[in-house]
Amino acid sequence: MVKFGVGQPMRRVEDERLITGKGRYTDDISVEGQAHAFMVRSPHAHARIASIDAEEARNAPGVLAVFTGEDAKREGLGVIASPAADLLKNRDGTPIFKTTRHLIADERVRYAGDTVAVIVAETLNQARDAADLLIIDYEALPAVADTAGALAPDAPVVWEELGSNLAYDWSFGNEAAVADAMKAAHHVTRLKLINNRIVVNAMEPRAALGVYDAGADRYTLYAPSQGVHSIRNFIAQYSLQIPVEKLRVITDDVGGGFGMKTFVYPEYPLVLFAARKLGRPVKWTADRSDSFLTDSQGRDHVTEAALALDKDGRILGLEVQTIANLGGYQSQYGPFIPSLAPRGMQAGVYKMPALFNRVRAVYTNTVPVDAYRGAGRPEASYLIERIIDQAGRELGLGTDEIRRRNFIKANEIPYKGGASLPFDSGDFARNLDDALKKSDFAGFETRRAAAAKVGKLAGIGISYYVERTAAGMSDYARIAIDGEKGIVHVWTGQQTNGQGHETAWTQFLANRLGLDIEKIKVHLGDSDVLPGGAGTGGSKALYLVTGAIGDASDKLIDKGREIAANELEAAKADIEYRGGEGEAVFAVAGTDRKIDLFAVARLAERQADLGELSGDGEYNQKGNTFPNGAHICEVEIDQDTGVFRIARYTAVDDFGHILNPLLVAGQVHGGIVQGLGQAMGEQAVFDRETGQLITGSLMDYWLPRADDVPFFEVSYNEIPSTSNALGVKGAGEAGTVGAPAAFINAVIDALRPLGIETIDMPVTPQKLWSVIHGARRAERAV
């Protein structure tokens, strides 16, 4: 009998392995004869490399090679590409400027941490020691690190050939219609906000182990990733410029990705290049300083917006003007994230007659910026949920009522109208009403008064988020039966980074084949096994992979029916598959004649023309899913110190049909904490003059801890999506999309009695103390 069918809260099958230290991360892998690489980083945010004298370093004990930008050029090494740049055009129709990022900096460095040399030695310490012997002559140049300041006429220019720091000027929507809405509006709410830059800080640092087989002229890369096929394709095409079949990428366990581990970084092709040149494997593992200086970072927007409303508080139009920081180079998908990724998401779940969004992306002498959990959608949701909250206060409607008035109604879905998103399912009012009840929103004023008696400011904030998950992609799966051992093996094109994918695929396939979960083994992360894979990102894994597994299992069963028909001396059309209730068999319909699934697999293994009982599946998801929900946050702030606590946090989410409630709860909890982390204290701070990362270690960069958040009250309204057979909606990024605005709206609500109407992330106790005491001084001065 199947113990855990679809919809049941099955515990994670991978946890025992991982918490007992049996996980296999990239740094756990060593191969015979491996050497160690050390990346030499630029101490300057902007400089010309006048010369590098590597002679003494090359002669240092244990050193096998020193590679510089000149070596990379001479060897014909390629670049780190950003094909997303080809998807965009400027507002005037011209192509956007594309940066060239060499694997090793050539002539100029553009952020502190840019790779200027690679040293390979017998040991890591020998490579580190040799780095001190390099003599590098830098000509320091003026740097720019301020996002909005990068557009100033006198700002230092990162790319001289561009002539300015404007990477592109892109727009979406109907500018004229929004201008008309502003003119016709009874009220216009205006807001300027900062979406602060984030350091990803995955638990497992990046690492790479490169192996080259000279006999086969073939490379193997071990690296933590969010999808081996994308890494393989980008390295082969752009960095090494070799046929993709000459490169195999393997990813085992991954300790957190959050978008950052999707991309190719210079270290990956460099260890492969070094392995070929030296004739032995080469390994590199980042330390935490490397992670701060070289992992792609997230967010970093400055936005001004205006919301036009009629006399009843209904939206007429929205204008959004954003300056987005790309860093020193275009990262792999960097140009896509502030533009096409959130396109139209600023409309939220509201009837939006007209929307105009202009994005000016800029280069600065900072770490490149790319996708970070949510990838553009949290930024869009934060904007609309901040400005509609402010509009509700300005109009005296209340922050809940203004949302109700503008919601797309359940009976209007599927919806296509104006600039709103094309929702296929949802009931936004129901989710908000449930969240208001569960949070005791109506009783909050009593709690506010009680907090005031003990010197605390209390506030409550609403955020109604929507996420648009990825679509238009294909994924693959392979299922093979080991008849001798009684195991079903499944491979997919996704990569788990801690989300529980092994459990989800096990649970789905157990339900599909009617097997106990102990008989299923999930494998991930080998580019040689499947023709492709969409990788993990965009909250798409569940519907893509279950579709591919479903296709693969159908093909496996069809093949099994043919084998069983021969064995049972019946027509294939009369053979049916029966799973569950303690058996997994092929049987002749209407009889008790049957043969076990694993017996059929053994028959296949003994016949050369059959080989194994297996099935290869493919699935394409054409439509987006739109997970959504109401988040309500309640805070208390000590007026004397600025210290705050989150008193309550309530979320009512719609993720469509839920496959495993435990997995979903884990994703929601983690996502909320990650969103609150940005709102409460996380911030990458660069010196505006030198471009140096000031918050460059965990001594300086704040991360949320368990006692910084309360117990979350999370519940669901399952309103199935119509875009896929399971009716599911992605859940992986949703909490991160909803949390920041809920928290900031709550803080603003707490500060309003002091006349404070806005505050930007991150809201630290120091910032709160400053604004509270500033407001008091201003009051005394009147």
Side-chain angles (χ1 to χ4, degrees):
M1 180 177 180
V2 180
K3 296 179 181 178
F4 296 100
V6 169
Q8 297 185 49
M10 171 180 157
R11 297 182 68 86
R12 293 177 19 141
V13 298
E14 55 267 65
D15 281 354
E16 181 178 356
R17 182 184 87 251
L18 296 175
I19 66 175
T20 57
K22 296 175 184 175
R24 189 173 187 250
Y25 299 89
T26 300
D27 192 53
D28 294 325
I29 303 169
S30 292
V31 295
E32 186 177 353
Q34 71 186 17
H36 296 266
F38 178 75
M39 305 291 158
V40 182
R41 311 294 189 187
S42 168
H44 301 281
H46 198 195
R48 290 190 183 92
I49 303 173
S51 65
I52 299 179
D53 185 346
E55 188 65 23
E56 192 174 355
R58 287 191 173 100
N59 293 325
V63 172
L64 301 170
V66 178
F67 302 111
T68 66
E70 288 187 359
D71 298 313
K73 185 188 298 185
R74 185 171 52 252
E75 294 287 342
L77 288 179
V79 298
I80 300 296
S82 177
D86 295 328
L87 302 175
L88 294 170
K89 290 187 182 298
N90 290 302
R91 297 181 68 198
D92 62 6
T94 59
I96 75 170
F97 176 78
K98 295 180 68 172
T99 63
T100 301
R101 186 179 183 184
H102 298 286
L103 303 187
I104 305 175
D106 177 39
E107 299 179 0
R108 185 179 291 218
V109 294
R110 290 182 169 84
Y111 68 95
D114 222 346
T115 304
V116 296
V118 182
I119 300 179
V120 184
E122 296 287 355
T123 69
L124 177 59
N125 286 337
Q126 288 174 329
R128 285 181 182 274
D129 291 343
D132 293 333
L133 302 177
L134 283 176
I135 301 173
I136 306 177
D137 183 9
Y138 292 102
E139 179 190 339
L141 299 170
V144 58
D146 178 49
T147 300
L151 291 177
D154 59 347
V157 175
V158 180
W159 290 88
E160 287 183 342
E161 53 268 53
L162 176 60
S164 75
N165 292 317
L166 182 63
Y168 62 77
D169 186 349
W170 173 92
S171 65
F172 167 80
N174 191 326
E175 186 174 12
V178 169
D180 290 342
M182 296 296 165
K183 292 176 184 176
H186 171 76
H187 178 83
V188 177
T189 293
R190 300 185 185 277
L191 180 67
K192 180 177 180 179
L193 55 84
I194 305 293
N195 210 292
N196 44 314
R197 181 186 282 233
I198 298 298
V199 176
V200 177
N201 272 309
M203 185 179 294
E204 177 205 17
R206 291 188 298 110
L209 173 59
V211 180
Y212 177 69
D213 182 342
D217 186 24
R218 196 161 194 257
Y219 300 84
T220 299
L221 173 69
Y222 299 87
S225 76
Q226 293 179 227
V228 291
H229 295 91
S230 173
I231 297 285
R232 177 198 65 182
N233 296 347
F234 275 81
I235 291 176
Q237 182 176 354
Y238 299 108
S239 302
L240 296 182
Q241 298 169 349
I242 58 174
V244 293
E245 60 268 18
K246 288 186 176 291
L247 175 60
R248 180 187 187 187
V249 178
I250 296 175
T251 296
D252 288 310
D253 290 313
V254 179
F258 313 118
M260 180 269 292
K261 286 179 182 167
T262 301
F263 318 120
V264 173
Y265 295 85
E267 297 87 358
Y268 302 168
L270 284 173
V271 297
L272 295 168
F273 161 72
R276 180 176 65 81
K277 291 293 291 182
L278 297 174
R280 57 191 292 188
V282 176
K283 185 176 184 178
W284 168 81
T285 301
D287 58 22
R288 190 56 60 179
S289 292
D290 265 329
S291 297
F292 272 93
L293 289 173
T294 66
D295 291 354
S296 67
Q297 297 178 355
R299 316 294 190 229
D300 203 344
H301 294 179
V302 177
T303 296
E304 294 186 25
L307 185 69
L309 303 111
D310 68 14
K311 61 183 179 60
D312 296 317
R314 290 187 170 84
I315 296 171
L316 299 175
L318 174 66
E319 179 183 355
V320 183
Q321 300 271 352
T322 294
I323 302 173
N325 197 339
L326 299 184
Y329 301 92
Q330 292 170 349
S331 184
Q332 192 164 314
Y333 297 113
F336 177 83
I337 302 306
S339 54
L340 293 170
R343 180 174 53 183
M345 294 298 295
Q346 294 87 353
V349 292
Y350 308 109
K351 292 181 180 178
M352 186 68 66
L355 169 67
F356 176 69
N357 177 206
R358 181 186 181 190
V359 178
R360 288 175 292 168
V362 297
Y363 296 115
T364 61
N365 296 115
T366 62
V367 180
V369 176
D370 211 312
Y372 174 69
R373 197 170 188 174
R377 285 96 75 199
E379 296 91 317
S381 181
Y382 182 67
L383 176 279
I384 184 61
E385 288 306 299
R386 282 287 312 277
I387 199 168
I388 199 167
D389 213 71
Q390 185 163 314
R393 294 194 301 269
E394 290 176 355
L395 291 172
L397 291 176
T399 58
D400 55 337
E401 177 59 24
I402 193 168
R403 288 178 168 87
R404 284 196 192 90
R405 290 192 184 190
N406 288 284
F407 277 152
I408 296 168
K409 296 179 175 59
N411 62 9
E412 296 173 318
I413 297 174
Y415 187 85
K416 287 186 179 180
S420 299
L421 296 169
F423 295 107
D424 66 307
S425 68
D427 191 336
F428 313 136
R430 173 186 171 190
N431 294 333
L432 177 60
D433 288 344
D434 287 354
L436 293 172
K437 291 174 186 175
K438 291 175 183 293
S439 66
D440 187 21
F441 190 86
F444 171 69
E445 291 304 328
T446 301
R447 297 193 294 279
R448 192 200 294 268
K453 290 180 180 178
V454 293
K456 297 184 186 301
L457 299 168
I460 194 165
I462 299 171
S463 170
Y464 200 105
Y465 78 91
V466 63
E467 229 274 80
R468 177 176 58 205
T469 64
M473 298 181 182
S474 294
D475 220 319
Y476 301 83
R478 186 168 195 277
I479 304 172
I481 312 291
D482 185 332
E484 295 299 329
K485 295 182 179 179
I487 296 293
V488 179
H489 296 278
V490 56
W491 293 264
T492 81
Q494 295 282 323
Q495 179 62 52
T496 185
N497 306 151
Q499 302 96 323
H501 288 352
E502 292 175 53
T503 301
W505 313 156
T506 297
Q507 192 169 5
F508 179 76
L509 191 57
N511 190 80
R512 189 87 174 187
L513 295 180
L515 292 167
D516 287 338
I517 62 172
E518 292 83 3
K519 295 184 180 296
I520 296 172
K521 174 65 176 175
V522 174
H523 307 272
L524 302 167
D526 188 339
S527 65
D528 273 6
V529 175
L530 296 170
T536 298
S539 302
K540 63 184 182 297
L542 189 64
Y543 50 77
L544 280 181
V545 173
T546 52
I549 289 176
D551 185 42
S553 62
D554 287 344
K555 291 173 179 174
L556 180 145
I557 289 171
D558 187 65
K559 184 176 181 180
R561 289 174 59 233
E562 187 170 346
I563 298 169
N566 292 334
E567 185 68 15
L568 296 173
E569 298 181 339
K572 180 181 177 181
D574 294 331
I575 300 295
E576 60 185 17
Y577 180 78
R578 300 172 186 168
E581 301 300 327
E583 65 176 9
V585 300
F586 293 92
V588 179
T591 75
D592 59 0
R593 296 170 58 206
K594 58 189 177 183
I595 182 171
D596 180 79
L597 170 66
F598 297 104
V600 171
R602 290 193 293 272
L603 288 171
E605 292 163 6
R606 292 166 191 160
Q607 298 180 43
D609 59 328
L610 295 174
E612 65 179 2
L613 182 56
S614 62
D616 293 286
E618 180 179 357
Y619 176 78
N620 179 265
Q621 173 74 21
K622 295 181 179 178
N624 302 107
T625 76
F626 295 95
N628 63 89
H631 286 211
I632 299 179
C633 180
E634 190 172 323
V635 300
E636 290 181 356
I637 304 169
D638 187 292
Q639 296 189 62
D640 294 326
T641 65
V643 173
F644 62 85
R645 76 179 185 97
I646 299 176
R648 297 185 181 192
Y649 197 101
T650 306
V652 177
D653 294 301
D654 168 18
F655 297 124
H657 181 52
I658 292 177
L659 179 68
N660 185 322
L662 280 180
L663 292 183
V664 170
Q667 288 297 287
V668 172
H669 288 191
I672 291 173
V673 172
Q674 211 154 359
L676 290 175
Q678 179 182 8
M680 296 194 301
E682 288 194 57
Q683 184 174 21
V685 179
F686 290 86
D687 184 280
R688 291 195 176 191
E689 293 185 1
T690 66
Q692 296 295 321
L693 179 61
I694 297 172
T695 53
S697 77
L698 291 175
M699 296 291 288
D700 311 294
Y701 187 93
W702 182 87
L703 285 174
R705 292 160 175 80
D707 62 354
D708 292 314
V709 296
F711 177 82
F712 302 126
E713 182 174 343
V714 176
S715 59
Y716 316 105
N717 286 323
E718 298 185 46
I719 303 170
S721 171
T722 62
S723 72
N724 59 86
L726 280 181
V728 302
K729 303 173 184 177
E733 297 163 299
T736 311
V737 180
F743 173 80
I744 296 296
N745 285 340
V747 170
I748 292 170
D749 184 56
L751 297 176
R752 284 189 71 214
L754 301 178
I756 299 167
E757 293 291 339
T758 187
I759 193 168
D760 278 317
M761 301 185 289
V763 174
T764 63
Q766 181 182 17
K767 181 183 285 188
L768 285 172
W769 183 88
S770 178
V771 299
I772 289 169
H773 286 268
R776 285 177 173 173
R777 285 194 299 270
E779 185 178 315
R780 288 194 297 268
V782 173

